[in-house]
């Protein structure tokens, strides 16, 4: 796995932001003469492309001869920009730019936590490119349902009056900066209130001990998706990270299932 922090490549955006990424080319399946779809990993809120899931899936894809791309949203990891300036809409645009300019052919999107929301937005924007989806503790609409709806009146007041709320997190040394702009933009990106018009196969892996994204979110997402090929894998002892070896194996098993379904000649 690539845990030694190799130098990334950069995609320069028209707005001047540089998006850091790593891309591995795939190989033709010689026996069948088929080109399998590539895989794009979309990380979570304040996470980056060097995490356990991103690199584990990369190693798996390399072994399988699959093209694989991982990247950092603006304001995350090695990409340019400030985290506090980011929004769900901006990060979805980052993902779409990577799809358009770095990847080729059909793709399976793998979205972790917030990345599950981003993968849905990107898939809706590029239906012709997206062949399948794998969500890992996918968290669509989290700014509204898992943040704003659960904030106290004092927290809401601080966001509105001061423009941001600083919240500690157990997932890193830096606290979360939750801006009023993030909340407002999130309301323009909500998906679970209406049918999600994606018909590709979808696999959702969710820990039932997840303190951040309740497992019921995966059921809501299943109900909202119009696709008839949606499966949920609930891991009773799983937390939000889903980074234990057996849990990583569950993720790659479902990825392989999708790849097998959507491989094109």
């Amino acid at each position: 796995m690539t845990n030694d922090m190799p130098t990334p490549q950069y995609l320069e955006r028209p707005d001047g932001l540089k998006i850091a990424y790593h891309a591995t080319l795939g190989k033709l399946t010689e026996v069948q003469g088929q080109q399998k779809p590539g895989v794009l990993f979309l990380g979570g809120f304040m996470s980056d492309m060097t995490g356990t899931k991103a690199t584990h899936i990369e190693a798996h894809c390399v072994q399988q001869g699959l093209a694989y791309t991982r990247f950092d949203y603006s304001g995350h990891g090695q990409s340019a920009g400030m985290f506090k300036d980011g929004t769900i809409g901006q990060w979805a645009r980052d993902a779409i730019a990577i799809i358009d300019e770095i990847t080729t052919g059909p793709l399976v999107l793998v979205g972790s936590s917030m990345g599950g929301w981003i993968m849905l937005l990107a898939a809706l924007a590029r239906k012709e490119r997206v062949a399948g989806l794998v969500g890992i503790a996918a968290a669509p609409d989290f700014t509204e349902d898992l943040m704003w709806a659960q904030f106290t009146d004092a927290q809401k007041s601080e966001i509105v009056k001061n423009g941001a709320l600083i919240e500690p997190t157990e997932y890193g040394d830096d606290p979360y900066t939750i801006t009023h702009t993030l909340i407002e933009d999130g309301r323009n990106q909500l998906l679970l209130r209406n049918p999600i018009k994606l018909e590709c196969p979808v696999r959702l892996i969710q820990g039932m001990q997840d303190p951040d994204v309740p497992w019921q979110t995966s059921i809501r997402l299943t109900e909202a998706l119009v696709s008839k090929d949606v499966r949920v894998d609930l891991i009773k002892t799983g937390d939000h990270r889903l980074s234990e070896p057996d849990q990583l194996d569950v993720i790659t098993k479902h990825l392989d299932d999708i790849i097998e379904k959507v491989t094109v000649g």
Side-chain angles (χ1 to χ4, degrees), residues 180-197:
H180 194 209
T181 303
L182 175 72
I183 298 295
E184 288 293 315
D185 173 83
R187 290 175 177 147
N188 296 326
Q189 318 295 338
L190 298 177
L191 295 176
L192 295 177
R193 277 74 176 159
N194 296 292
I196 301 173
K197 296 180 180 179

Side-chain angles (χ1 to χ4, degrees), residues 161-180:
K161 290 181 179 178
N162 300 329
L165 175 68
I166 310 300
E167 286 283 283
T169 172
E170 63 179 271
Y171 299 110
D173 296 330
D174 297 325
Y176 284 166
T177 301
I178 302 162
T179 66
H180 194 209

Side-chain angles (χ1 to χ4, degrees), residues 57-98:
I57 295 169
E58 178 178 69
H60 180 78
C61 288
V62 168
Q63 184 181 46
Q64 298 294 317
L66 301 173
Y68 180 78
T69 305
R70 54 188 168 100
F71 72 101
D72 287 330
Y73 309 112
S74 54
H76 288 68
Q78 299 172 80
S79 288
M82 300 290 289
F83 176 81
K84 65 181 180 63
D85 295 331
T87 61
I88 301 300
Q90 173 65 52
W91 298 325
R93 289 189 290 275
D94 293 343
I96 293 165
I98 291 287

Side-chain angles (χ1 to χ4, degrees), residues 5-264:
M5 296 285 286
T7 303
Q9 295 178 276
Y10 287 92
L11 171 63
E12 297 203 19
R13 301 286 307 280
D15 56 11
L17 289 177
K18 294 201 302 181
I19 304 301
Y21 70 92
H22 291 282
T24 303
L25 296 178
K27 298 177 182 178
L28 282 173
T29 306
E30 298 294 344
V31 175
Q32 298 159 336
Q34 293 178 321
Q35 177 68 59
K36 293 184 176 181
V39 178
L40 174 63
F41 183 83
L42 302 108
F45 192 66
M46 275 192 77
S47 66
D48 61 47
M49 62 175 167
T50 66
T52 302
K53 289 186 288 291
T55 54
H56 177 85
I57 295 169
E58 178 178 69
H60 180 78
C61 288
V62 168
Q63 184 181 46
Q64 298 294 317
L66 301 173
Y68 180 78
T69 305
R70 54 188 168 100
F71 72 101
D72 287 330
Y73 309 112
S74 54
H76 288 68
Q78 299 172 80
S79 288
M82 300 290 289
F83 176 81
K84 65 181 180 63
D85 295 331
T87 61
I88 301 300
Q90 173 65 52
W91 298 325
R93 289 189 290 275
D94 293 343
I96 293 165
I98 291 287
I99 290 172
D100 289 348
E101 301 188 46
I102 304 304
T103 70
T104 59
L107 286 172
V108 175
L109 307 187
V110 180
S112 176
S113 192
M114 180 186 78
W117 191 357
I118 302 297
M119 82 173 178
L120 294 164
L121 292 169
L124 287 165
R126 294 294 182 269
K127 290 182 182 180
E128 72 283 358
R129 291 286 312 281
V130 176
L133 303 174
V134 178
I136 308 165
D141 301 7
F142 78 91
T143 54
E144 191 69 16
D145 296 339
L146 305 179
M147 286 184 170
W148 187 258
Q150 297 184 26
F151 286 157
T152 64
D153 289 342
Q155 288 174 315
K156 291 177 179 178
S157 178
E158 183 172 347
I159 289 177
V160 172
K161 290 181 179 178
N162 300 329
L165 175 68
I166 310 300
E167 286 283 283
T169 172
E170 63 179 271
Y171 299 110
D173 296 330
D174 297 325
Y176 284 166
T177 301
I178 302 162
T179 66
H180 194 209
T181 303
L182 175 72
I183 298 295
E184 288 293 315
D185 173 83
R187 290 175 177 147
N188 296 326
Q189 318 295 338
L190 298 177
L191 295 176
L192 295 177
R193 277 74 176 159
N194 296 292
I196 301 173
K197 296 180 180 179
L198 293 169
E199 298 183 0
C200 59
V202 182
R203 302 292 177 266
L204 303 172
I205 303 104
Q206 175 69 47
M208 295 185 74
Q209 305 304 315
D210 188 333
D212 300 301
V213 180
W215 61 266
Q216 290 87 350
T217 300
S218 61
I219 306 303
R220 290 181 65 199
L221 177 53
T222 299
E223 292 171 340
L225 285 159
V226 302
S227 172
K228 291 180 170 56
D229 187 359
V230 183
R231 299 180 190 174
V232 180
D233 195 332
L234 296 176
I235 301 176
K236 188 171 182 177
T237 59
D239 61 10
H240 188 62
R241 289 184 175 90
L242 293 178
S243 293
E244 295 299 320
D246 61 323
Q247 297 165 353
L248 294 170
D249 287 344
V250 170
I251 294 167
T252 52
K253 175 178 71 74
H254 286 296
L255 175 60
D256 289 345
D257 177 44
I258 293 280
I259 293 291
E260 184 176 353
K261 275 181 172 286
V262 302
T263 294
V264 294

